Coordinates of all heavy atoms in Angstrom, one line a residue:
M1 N 0.8 -1.2 0.0 CA 0.0 0.0 0.0 C 0.9 1.2 0.0 O 1.8 1.4 0.8 CB -0.9 0.0 1.2 CG -1.9 1.1 1.3 SD -3.1 0.7 2.6 CE -3.5 2.4 3.0
T2 N 0.6 2.2 -0.8 CA 1.3 3.4 -0.9 C 0.9 4.4 0.1 O -0.3 4.6 0.4 CB 1.1 4.0 -2.4 OG1 1.5 3.1 -3.3 CG2 2.0 5.3 -2.5
E3 N 1.8 5.1 0.7 CA 1.5 6.1 1.7 C 1.0 7.4 1.0 O 1.6 7.9 0.1 CB 2.8 6.4 2.5 CG 2.7 7.4 3.6 CD 4.0 7.5 4.4 OE1 5.1 7.7 3.7 OE2 3.9 7.5 5.6
T4 N -0.1 7.9 1.5 CA -0.6 9.2 1.0 C 0.3 10.3 1.4 O 1.0 10.2 2.4 CB -2.1 9.4 1.5 OG1 -2.0 9.6 2.9 CG2 -3.0 8.3 1.1
A5 N 0.1 11.4 0.7 CA 0.9 12.6 1.1 C 0.6 13.1 2.5 O 1.4 13.5 3.3 CB 0.7 13.8 0.1
E6 N -0.7 13.1 2.8 CA -1.2 13.5 4.2 C -0.6 12.5 5.2 O -0.1 13.0 6.3 CB -2.7 13.5 4.2 CG -3.3 13.9 5.5 CD -4.8 13.9 5.5 OE1 -5.4 14.0 4.5 OE2 -5.4 13.8 6.6
A7 N -0.6 11.2 5.0 CA -0.1 10.3 6.0 C 1.4 10.5 6.1 O 2.0 10.4 7.2 CB -0.4 8.9 5.5
R8 N 2.1 10.8 5.0 CA 3.6 11.0 5.1 C 3.9 12.2 5.9 O 4.8 12.1 6.8 CB 4.1 11.2 3.7 CG 5.6 11.3 3.7 CD 6.2 11.4 2.3 NE 7.5 10.9 2.3 CZ 8.2 10.9 1.2 NH1 7.8 11.4 0.0 NH2 9.5 10.5 1.2
V9 N 3.2 13.3 5.7 CA 3.4 14.5 6.5 C 3.2 14.2 8.0 O 3.9 14.6 8.9 CB 2.6 15.7 6.0 CG1 2.6 16.8 7.0 CG2 3.2 16.1 4.6
K10 N 2.1 13.5 8.3 CA 1.7 13.2 9.7 C 2.8 12.3 10.3 O 3.2 12.6 11.4 CB 0.4 12.5 9.7 CG -0.1 12.3 11.1 CD -1.5 11.7 11.1 CE -2.0 11.5 12.5 NZ -3.4 11.0 12.5
R11 N 3.3 11.3 9.6 CA 4.4 10.4 10.1 C 5.7 11.2 10.3 O 6.3 11.1 11.4 CB 4.6 9.3 9.1 CG 5.8 8.4 9.5 CD 6.0 7.3 8.5 NE 6.2 7.7 7.1 CZ 7.4 8.1 6.6 NH1 8.5 8.2 7.4 NH2 7.5 8.5 5.4
L12 N 6.0 12.1 9.4 CA 7.3 12.9 9.6 C 7.1 13.8 10.7 O 8.1 14.1 11.5 CB 7.6 13.6 8.3 CG 8.0 12.7 7.1 CD1 8.2 13.5 5.8 CD2 9.2 11.9 7.4
S13 N 6.0 14.4 10.9 CA 5.7 15.3 12.0 C 5.9 14.6 13.3 O 6.6 15.0 14.3 CB 4.4 15.9 11.9 OG 4.1 16.8 13.0
M14 N 5.3 13.4 13.4 CA 5.4 12.6 14.6 C 6.8 12.2 14.9 O 7.3 12.3 16.1 CB 4.6 11.3 14.5 CG 4.6 10.4 15.7 SD 3.7 10.9 17.1 CE 2.1 10.4 16.6
R15 N 7.6 11.8 13.9 CA 9.0 11.5 14.1 C 9.8 12.7 14.5 O 10.9 12.6 15.1 CB 9.5 10.8 12.8 CG 9.0 9.4 12.6 CD 9.6 8.7 11.5 NE 11.0 8.5 11.7 CZ 11.9 8.4 10.7 NH1 11.5 8.4 9.4 NH2 13.2 8.2 10.9
S16 N 9.4 13.9 14.1 CA 10.1 15.1 14.4 C 10.0 15.4 15.8 O 10.9 16.0 16.5 CB 9.6 16.2 13.5 OG 9.9 16.0 12.2
W17 N 8.8 15.2 16.4 CA 8.5 15.6 17.8 C 8.9 14.5 18.8 O 8.9 14.8 20.0 CB 7.0 15.9 17.9 CG 6.6 17.3 17.5 CD1 6.0 17.7 16.4 CD2 6.9 18.5 18.3 NE1 5.9 19.1 16.4 CE2 6.4 19.6 17.5 CE3 7.5 18.7 19.5 CZ2 6.5 20.9 18.0 CZ3 7.7 20.0 19.9 CH2 7.1 21.1 19.2
R18 N 9.1 13.3 18.3 CA 9.4 12.2 19.2 C 10.7 11.5 18.8 O 10.8 10.4 18.4 CB 8.3 11.2 19.2 CG 7.1 11.8 20.0 CD 5.9 10.9 19.9 NE 4.8 11.5 20.6 CZ 4.0 12.5 20.2 NH1 4.3 13.1 19.0 NH2 3.0 13.0 20.9
R19 N 11.8 12.3 18.9 CA 13.1 11.9 18.4 C 13.8 10.9 19.4 O 14.6 10.1 19.0 CB 14.0 13.1 18.2 CG 13.6 14.0 17.1 CD 13.7 13.4 15.8 NE 15.1 12.9 15.6 CZ 15.4 12.0 14.7 NH1 14.5 11.4 13.9 NH2 16.6 11.5 14.6
G20 N 13.7 11.1 20.7 CA 14.5 10.4 21.6 C 15.3 11.3 22.5 O 15.6 11.0 23.7
T21 N 15.6 12.5 22.0 CA 16.2 13.5 22.9 C 15.4 14.8 22.8 O 14.9 15.1 21.8 CB 17.7 13.9 22.5 OG1 17.7 14.5 21.2 CG2 18.6 12.7 22.5
K22 N 15.2 15.4 24.0 CA 14.3 16.6 24.0 C 14.8 17.7 23.2 O 14.1 18.4 22.6 CB 14.2 17.0 25.5 CG 13.1 18.0 25.7 CD 11.8 17.3 25.4 CE 10.6 18.0 25.9 NZ 9.3 17.5 25.4
E23 N 16.2 17.8 23.1 CA 16.8 18.9 22.3 C 16.4 18.8 20.9 O 16.0 19.8 20.2 CB 18.3 18.9 22.4 CG 18.9 19.2 23.8 CD 18.9 17.9 24.7 OE1 18.5 16.8 24.3 OE2 19.4 18.1 25.8
M24 N 16.4 17.6 20.3 CA 16.1 17.4 18.9 C 14.6 17.5 18.7 O 14.1 18.0 17.7 CB 16.6 16.1 18.3 CG 18.1 16.1 18.1 SD 18.8 17.6 17.3 CE 17.9 17.5 15.7
D25 N 13.8 17.1 19.7 CA 12.3 17.3 19.6 C 12.0 18.8 19.5 O 11.2 19.2 18.7 CB 11.6 16.9 20.9 CG 11.7 15.4 21.1 OD1 12.1 14.6 20.2 OD2 11.3 14.9 22.2
L26 N 12.7 19.6 20.3 CA 12.4 21.1 20.3 C 13.0 21.8 19.1 O 12.6 22.9 18.8 CB 13.0 21.7 21.6 CG 12.3 21.2 22.8 CD1 13.0 21.7 24.1 CD2 10.8 21.6 22.8
I27 N 13.9 21.2 18.4 CA 14.4 21.7 17.1 C 13.6 21.3 15.9 O 13.1 22.1 15.1 CB 15.9 21.4 16.9 CG1 16.8 22.1 18.0 CG2 16.4 21.7 15.5 CD1 18.2 21.6 18.1
L28 N 13.5 20.0 15.8 CA 12.8 19.4 14.6 C 11.3 19.6 14.6 O 10.6 19.7 13.6 CB 13.2 18.0 14.4 CG 14.6 17.7 14.0 CD1 14.9 16.3 13.9 CD2 15.0 18.5 12.7
G29 N 10.7 19.5 15.8 CA 9.2 19.5 15.9 C 8.7 20.9 15.4 O 7.8 20.9 14.5
P30 N 9.1 22.0 15.9 CA 8.6 23.3 15.4 C 9.0 23.5 13.9 O 8.2 24.0 13.2 CB 9.3 24.3 16.3 CG 9.6 23.6 17.5 CD 9.9 22.2 17.1
Y31 N 10.2 23.0 13.5 CA 10.5 23.1 12.1 C 9.5 22.4 11.2 O 9.0 22.9 10.2 CB 11.9 22.6 11.8 CG 12.3 22.7 10.4 CD1 12.8 23.9 9.8 CD2 12.1 21.6 9.5 CE1 13.1 24.0 8.5 CE2 12.4 21.7 8.2 CZ 12.9 22.9 7.7 OH 13.2 23.0 6.3
A32 N 9.2 21.1 11.6 CA 8.3 20.3 10.9 C 6.9 21.0 10.9 O 6.3 21.0 9.8 CB 8.2 18.9 11.5
D33 N 6.4 21.5 12.0 CA 5.1 22.2 12.0 C 5.1 23.3 11.0 O 4.0 23.5 10.4 CB 4.8 22.7 13.4 CG 4.5 21.6 14.4 OD1 4.3 20.4 14.0 OD2 4.4 21.9 15.6
A34 N 6.2 24.0 10.9 CA 6.2 25.2 10.1 C 6.4 24.9 8.6 O 6.0 25.7 7.7 CB 7.3 26.2 10.6
H35 N 7.0 23.8 8.3 CA 7.5 23.6 6.9 C 6.9 22.3 6.2 O 6.9 22.3 4.9 CB 9.0 23.6 6.8 CG 9.6 24.9 7.2 ND1 10.0 25.2 8.4 CD2 9.8 26.0 6.4 CE1 10.5 26.4 8.4 NE2 10.4 26.9 7.2
L36 N 6.6 21.3 6.9 CA 6.3 20.0 6.2 C 5.2 20.1 5.2 O 5.3 19.6 4.1 CB 6.0 18.9 7.2 CG 7.1 18.3 8.0 CD1 6.6 17.2 8.9 CD2 8.2 17.7 7.1
A37 N 4.1 20.8 5.5 CA 2.9 20.9 4.6 C 3.2 21.5 3.3 O 2.6 21.2 2.3 CB 1.8 21.6 5.3
S38 N 4.2 22.4 3.3 CA 4.6 23.1 2.0 C 5.8 22.6 1.3 O 6.2 23.1 0.3 CB 4.7 24.6 2.3 OG 5.8 24.8 3.2
M39 N 6.4 21.5 1.8 CA 7.6 20.9 1.2 C 7.3 20.2 -0.1 O 6.2 19.5 -0.2 CB 8.3 20.0 2.1 CG 9.2 20.6 3.1 SD 10.1 19.3 4.0 CE 10.7 20.3 5.4
S40 N 8.2 20.2 -1.1 CA 8.1 19.4 -2.3 C 8.3 18.0 -1.9 O 8.8 17.6 -0.9 CB 9.2 19.9 -3.3 OG 10.4 19.5 -2.8
V41 N 7.9 17.1 -2.8 CA 8.1 15.7 -2.6 C 9.6 15.4 -2.5 O 9.9 14.6 -1.6 CB 7.5 14.9 -3.8 CG1 7.9 13.4 -3.8 CG2 6.0 15.1 -3.9
E42 N 10.4 16.0 -3.2 CA 11.9 15.7 -3.1 C 12.4 16.2 -1.8 O 13.2 15.5 -1.2 CB 12.6 16.5 -4.2 CG 12.3 16.0 -5.6 CD 11.0 16.5 -6.2 OE1 10.5 17.5 -5.7 OE2 10.5 15.9 -7.2
K43 N 11.9 17.3 -1.3 CA 12.4 17.8 0.0 C 11.9 16.9 1.1 O 12.6 16.6 2.1 CB 12.0 19.2 0.2 CG 12.8 19.9 1.4 CD 12.9 21.4 1.2 CE 13.8 22.0 2.3 NZ 13.9 23.4 2.2
L44 N 10.6 16.4 1.0 CA 10.1 15.5 2.0 C 10.9 14.2 2.0 O 11.2 13.6 3.1 CB 8.6 15.1 1.7 CG 7.6 16.2 2.0 CD1 6.2 15.9 1.5 CD2 7.5 16.5 3.5
E45 N 11.4 13.7 0.9 CA 12.2 12.5 0.8 C 13.5 12.8 1.5 O 14.0 11.9 2.3 CB 12.4 12.1 -0.6 CG 11.2 11.5 -1.3 CD 11.4 11.2 -2.8 OE1 12.5 11.4 -3.3 OE2 10.4 10.9 -3.4
L46 N 14.1 13.9 1.3 CA 15.3 14.3 2.0 C 15.1 14.4 3.5 O 15.9 13.9 4.3 CB 15.9 15.6 1.4 CG 17.3 16.0 2.0 CD1 18.3 15.0 1.7 CD2 17.7 17.3 1.3
Y47 N 14.0 15.0 3.9 CA 13.7 15.1 5.3 C 13.5 13.8 6.0 O 14.0 13.5 7.1 CB 12.5 16.0 5.5 CG 12.2 16.4 7.0 CD1 13.0 17.4 7.6 CD2 11.2 15.8 7.7 CE1 12.8 17.7 8.9 CE2 11.0 16.2 9.0 CZ 11.8 17.1 9.6 OH 11.6 17.5 11.0
D48 N 12.9 12.9 5.3 CA 12.7 11.5 5.7 C 14.0 10.8 6.0 O 14.2 10.2 7.0 CB 11.8 10.7 4.7 CG 11.1 9.5 5.3 OD1 11.3 9.2 6.5 OD2 10.3 8.9 4.6
K49 N 14.9 11.0 5.0 CA 16.3 10.5 5.2 C 17.0 11.1 6.3 O 17.7 10.4 7.1 CB 17.0 10.7 3.9 CG 18.3 9.9 3.8 CD 18.9 9.9 2.4 CE 20.2 9.1 2.4 NZ 20.8 9.2 1.0
L50 N 16.9 12.4 6.5 CA 17.5 13.1 7.6 C 17.0 12.5 9.0 O 17.8 12.4 9.9 CB 17.1 14.6 7.5 CG 17.6 15.5 8.6 CD1 17.9 16.9 8.0 CD2 16.6 15.7 9.7
L51 N 15.8 12.2 9.0 CA 15.2 11.7 10.3 C 15.8 10.3 10.6 O 15.6 9.8 11.8 CB 13.7 11.6 10.3 CG 13.0 13.0 10.2 CD1 11.5 12.8 10.2 CD2 13.3 13.8 11.5
E52 N 16.4 9.6 9.7 CA 17.0 8.3 10.0 C 18.4 8.5 10.7 O 18.9 7.5 11.3 CB 17.3 7.6 8.6 CG 16.0 7.1 8.0 CD 16.2 6.5 6.6 OE1 17.4 6.2 6.3 OE2 15.3 6.3 5.9
E53 N 18.9 9.7 10.7 CA 20.2 10.0 11.4 C 20.0 10.0 12.9 O 18.9 10.3 13.4 CB 20.7 11.3 11.0 CG 21.1 11.5 9.5 CD 22.3 10.7 9.1 OE1 23.0 10.1 9.9 OE2 22.5 10.6 7.8
N54 N 21.0 9.6 13.6 CA 21.0 9.6 15.1 C 21.0 11.0 15.6 O 21.7 11.9 15.1 CB 22.2 8.9 15.6 CG 22.2 7.4 15.4 OD1 21.1 6.8 15.5 ND2 23.3 6.9 15.0
D55 N 20.3 11.2 16.7 CA 20.2 12.5 17.4 C 21.6 13.0 17.8 O 21.9 14.2 17.8 CB 19.3 12.5 18.6 CG 17.8 12.5 18.2 OD1 17.5 12.5 17.0 OD2 17.0 12.4 19.2
Q56 N 22.5 12.0 18.2 CA 23.8 12.3 18.7 C 24.6 12.9 17.5 O 25.6 13.6 17.8 CB 24.5 11.1 19.3 CG 23.9 10.6 20.6 CD 22.6 9.8 20.3 OE1 22.2 9.4 19.2 NE2 21.8 9.6 21.4
D57 N 24.3 12.6 16.3 CA 24.9 13.2 15.1 C 24.2 14.5 14.7 O 24.9 15.5 14.4 CB 24.9 12.2 14.0 CG 25.8 11.0 14.2 OD1 26.8 11.1 14.9 OD2 25.4 9.9 13.8
L58 N 22.9 14.5 14.7 CA 22.1 15.6 14.3 C 22.4 16.9 15.1 O 22.5 18.0 14.5 CB 20.6 15.3 14.3 CG 20.1 14.5 13.1 CD1 18.6 14.1 13.4 CD2 20.1 15.3 11.8
L59 N 22.4 16.8 16.4 CA 22.5 18.0 17.2 C 23.8 18.7 17.0 O 23.7 19.9 16.8 CB 22.3 17.6 18.7 CG 22.3 18.8 19.7 CD1 21.2 19.7 19.3 CD2 22.2 18.3 21.1
P60 N 24.9 18.1 17.0 CA 26.2 18.8 16.7 C 26.2 19.4 15.3 O 26.8 20.5 15.0 CB 27.3 17.8 16.8 CG 26.7 16.7 17.6 CD 25.2 16.7 17.4
W61 N 25.5 18.8 14.3 CA 25.4 19.4 13.0 C 24.6 20.6 13.0 O 25.0 21.6 12.4 CB 24.8 18.4 12.0 CG 25.6 17.1 11.8 CD1 26.9 16.9 12.0 CD2 25.0 15.9 11.2 NE1 27.2 15.6 11.7 CE2 26.1 15.0 11.2 CE3 23.8 15.5 10.8 CZ2 26.0 13.7 10.7 CZ3 23.7 14.2 10.3 CH2 24.7 13.3 10.3
V62 N 23.4 20.6 13.7 CA 22.5 21.7 13.7 C 23.2 22.9 14.5 O 23.0 24.0 14.1 CB 21.2 21.3 14.4 CG1 20.3 22.6 14.6 CG2 20.4 20.4 13.5
L63 N 23.9 22.6 15.5 CA 24.6 23.6 16.3 C 25.8 24.1 15.7 O 26.4 25.1 16.1 CB 24.9 23.0 17.7 CG 23.7 22.6 18.6 CD1 24.2 22.0 19.9 CD2 22.8 23.8 18.9
G64 N 26.3 23.5 14.6 CA 27.5 23.9 13.9 C 28.7 23.4 14.5 O 29.8 23.9 14.2
Q65 N 28.6 22.5 15.4 CA 29.8 22.0 16.1 C 30.6 21.0 15.2 O 31.8 20.8 15.4 CB 29.4 21.3 17.4 CG 28.8 22.3 18.4 CD 28.2 21.6 19.6 OE1 27.8 20.4 19.6 NE2 28.1 22.4 20.7
N66 N 29.9 20.3 14.4 CA 30.5 19.3 13.4 C 29.8 19.6 12.1 O 28.7 19.9 12.0 CB 30.2 17.9 13.8 CG 30.9 17.5 15.1 OD1 32.0 18.0 15.4 ND2 30.3 16.5 15.8
P67 N 30.6 19.3 11.0 CA 30.0 19.5 9.7 C 29.0 18.4 9.3 O 29.3 17.2 9.6 CB 31.2 19.5 8.7 CG 32.3 18.7 9.5 CD 32.0 19.0 10.9
A68 N 27.9 18.8 8.8 CA 26.9 17.8 8.3 C 27.4 17.1 7.0 O 28.2 17.7 6.3 CB 25.6 18.5 8.1
P69 N 26.9 15.9 6.7 CA 27.3 15.3 5.5 C 26.8 16.2 4.3 O 25.8 16.9 4.4 CB 26.5 14.0 5.5 CG 26.2 13.7 6.9 CD 26.1 15.1 7.6
D70 N 27.5 16.0 3.2 CA 27.2 16.9 2.0 C 25.7 16.8 1.6 O 25.1 17.8 1.2 CB 28.1 16.5 0.8 CG 29.5 16.9 1.1 OD1 29.8 17.8 1.9 OD2 30.4 16.4 0.4
Y71 N 25.1 15.6 1.6 CA 23.8 15.4 1.1 C 22.7 16.2 1.9 O 21.6 16.4 1.3 CB 23.4 13.9 1.1 CG 22.9 13.3 2.3 CD1 21.5 13.2 2.5 CD2 23.7 12.8 3.3 CE1 21.0 12.7 3.7 CE2 23.2 12.3 4.5 CZ 21.9 12.2 4.7 OH 21.4 11.7 5.8
I72 N 23.0 16.6 3.1 CA 22.0 17.3 3.9 C 22.6 18.6 4.5 O 22.0 19.3 5.3 CB 21.4 16.5 5.0 CG1 22.5 15.9 5.9 CG2 20.5 15.5 4.5 CD1 21.9 15.3 7.2
F73 N 23.8 19.0 4.0 CA 24.5 20.2 4.6 C 23.6 21.4 4.6 O 23.4 22.1 5.6 CB 25.8 20.4 3.9 CG 26.6 21.5 4.5 CD1 27.4 21.3 5.6 CD2 26.5 22.8 4.0 CE1 28.1 22.3 6.2 CE2 27.2 23.9 4.6 CZ 28.0 23.6 5.7
D74 N 23.1 21.8 3.4 CA 22.2 23.0 3.3 C 20.9 22.8 4.1 O 20.5 23.8 4.7 CB 21.9 23.2 1.8 CG 23.2 23.7 1.1 OD1 24.1 24.2 1.7 OD2 23.2 23.5 -0.2
F75 N 20.4 21.7 4.1 CA 19.1 21.4 4.8 C 19.4 21.6 6.3 O 18.6 22.3 7.0 CB 18.6 20.0 4.5 CG 17.1 19.8 4.7 CD1 16.5 18.7 4.3 CD2 16.3 20.8 5.3 CE1 15.2 18.5 4.4 CE2 14.9 20.6 5.4 CZ 14.4 19.5 5.0
I76 N 20.4 21.1 6.9 CA 20.8 21.2 8.3 C 21.0 22.7 8.6 O 20.5 23.2 9.7 CB 22.0 20.4 8.6 CG1 21.7 18.9 8.6 CG2 22.6 20.8 10.0 CD1 20.8 18.3 9.6
R77 N 21.6 23.4 7.7 CA 21.8 24.8 7.9 C 20.5 25.6 8.0 O 20.3 26.4 8.9 CB 22.7 25.5 6.9 CG 23.0 26.9 7.1 CD 23.8 27.6 6.1 NE 25.0 26.8 5.7 CZ 25.6 27.0 4.6 NH1 25.3 27.9 3.7 NH2 26.7 26.2 4.3
E78 N 19.6 25.2 7.1 CA 18.2 25.8 7.1 C 17.5 25.5 8.5 O 16.9 26.4 9.1 CB 17.4 25.2 6.0 CG 16.0 25.7 5.9 CD 15.2 25.1 4.8 OE1 15.8 24.8 3.7 OE2 14.0 24.8 5.0
I79 N 17.6 24.3 8.9 CA 17.0 23.9 10.2 C 17.6 24.7 11.4 O 16.9 25.2 12.2 CB 17.0 22.4 10.4 CG1 16.1 21.7 9.4 CG2 16.6 22.0 11.8 CD1 16.3 20.2 9.3
G80 N 18.9 24.8 11.4 CA 19.6 25.5 12.4 C 19.2 27.0 12.4 O 19.0 27.6 13.5
D81 N 19.2 27.6 11.2 CA 18.8 29.0 11.1 C 17.4 29.2 11.7 O 17.1 30.2 12.4 CB 18.9 29.5 9.7 CG 20.3 29.6 9.2 OD1 21.2 29.6 10.0 OD2 20.5 29.7 8.0
F82 N 16.5 28.3 11.3 CA 15.1 28.4 11.8 C 15.1 28.3 13.3 O 14.4 29.1 14.0 CB 14.2 27.3 11.2 CG 12.8 27.2 11.7 CD1 11.8 28.0 11.2 CD2 12.5 26.4 12.8 CE1 10.6 28.0 11.7 CE2 11.2 26.3 13.3 CZ 10.2 27.1 12.7
A83 N 15.8 27.4 13.9 CA 15.8 27.2 15.4 C 16.4 28.4 16.1 O 15.8 28.9 17.1 CB 16.6 26.0 15.7
R84 N 17.5 29.0 15.5 CA 18.1 30.2 16.1 C 17.1 31.4 16.1 O 17.0 32.1 17.0 CB 19.4 30.5 15.5 CG 20.5 29.6 16.0 CD 21.9 30.0 15.4 NE 22.0 29.6 14.0 CZ 22.3 28.3 13.6 NH1 22.4 27.4 14.5 NH2 22.4 28.0 12.3
K85 N 16.5 31.6 14.9 CA 15.5 32.7 14.8 C 14.3 32.5 15.8 O 13.9 33.5 16.4 CB 15.0 32.8 13.4 CG 16.0 33.3 12.4 CD 15.5 33.3 11.0 CE 16.6 33.7 10.0 NZ 16.2 33.5 8.7
R86 N 13.9 31.3 15.9 CA 12.8 31.0 16.8 C 13.2 31.3 18.3 O 12.4 31.9 19.0 CB 12.4 29.5 16.6 CG 11.1 29.1 17.4 CD 10.7 27.7 17.0 NE 10.0 27.2 18.1 CZ 10.5 26.5 19.1 NH1 11.8 26.2 19.2 NH2 9.7 26.1 20.1
L87 N 14.3 30.9 18.6 CA 14.8 31.1 20.0 C 15.0 32.6 20.3 O 14.8 33.1 21.4 CB 16.1 30.3 20.3 CG 15.9 28.8 20.4 CD1 17.2 28.1 20.5 CD2 15.0 28.5 21.6
A88 N 15.5 33.3 19.3 CA 15.7 34.8 19.4 C 14.4 35.5 19.7 O 14.4 36.6 20.4 CB 16.4 35.3 18.2
R89 N 13.3 35.0 19.2 CA 12.0 35.7 19.4 C 11.5 35.4 20.8 O 10.6 36.1 21.2 CB 11.0 35.2 18.3 CG 11.3 35.7 17.0 CD 10.2 35.3 16.0 NE 10.3 33.8 15.9 CZ 10.1 33.1 14.8 NH1 9.7 33.7 13.7 NH2 10.2 31.9 14.8
A90 N 11.9 34.3 21.4 CA 11.4 33.9 22.7 C 11.8 34.7 23.8 O 12.7 35.5 23.8 CB 11.8 32.4 22.9

């Protein structure tokens, strides 16, 4: 059975909010809420692949402590920028 676009967005949102570490929940959850519904199919596929990464790797990438792999470097930068702007408003 093929996953519908709506089901895919819902699944990715759930995985964004329930990562395993609270830090990544608070970074990826709000990002997903703000962006998943308007993402292209290609970007959703990339986000799905990003969610397969371990939180212990993702967090240092988002914080700029370690370089992200080339395939998601720009995406990680976008997520980090979103998180920093969100925190600056708080």
Side-chain angles (χ1 to χ4, degrees):
M1 185 168 152
T2 303
E3 184 177 44
T4 66
E6 182 180 333
R8 183 179 207 179
V9 167
K10 187 174 181 176
R11 175 179 58 80
L12 294 175
S13 177
M14 177 75 80
R15 288 184 64 205
S16 298
W17 276 106
R18 290 172 178 77
R19 294 292 307 160
T21 65
K22 195 61 164 175
E23 294 85 357
M24 288 311 302
D25 292 351
L26 294 173
I27 291 170
L28 293 178
Y31 179 85
D33 288 351
H35 293 93
L36 285 180
S38 63
M39 279 187 193
S40 67
V41 171
E42 294 79 18
K43 197 157 184 181
L44 285 171
E45 288 173 6
L46 184 58
Y47 190 74
D48 203 353
K49 191 171 181 180
L50 177 146
L51 291 178
E52 293 175 12
E53 299 287 351
N54 291 319
D55 286 358
Q56 293 79 11
D57 295 323
L58 279 171
L59 186 59
W61 297 340
V62 171
L63 296 176
Q65 295 170 338
N66 292 332
D70 290 342
Y71 85 95
I72 55 170
F73 185 84
D74 292 335
F75 205 171
I76 292 290
R77 184 181 313 161
E78 178 183 324
I79 292 167
D81 289 346
F82 175 85
R84 281 185 284 283
K85 288 176 188 170
R86 188 174 154 268
L87 290 173
R89 290 183 294 218

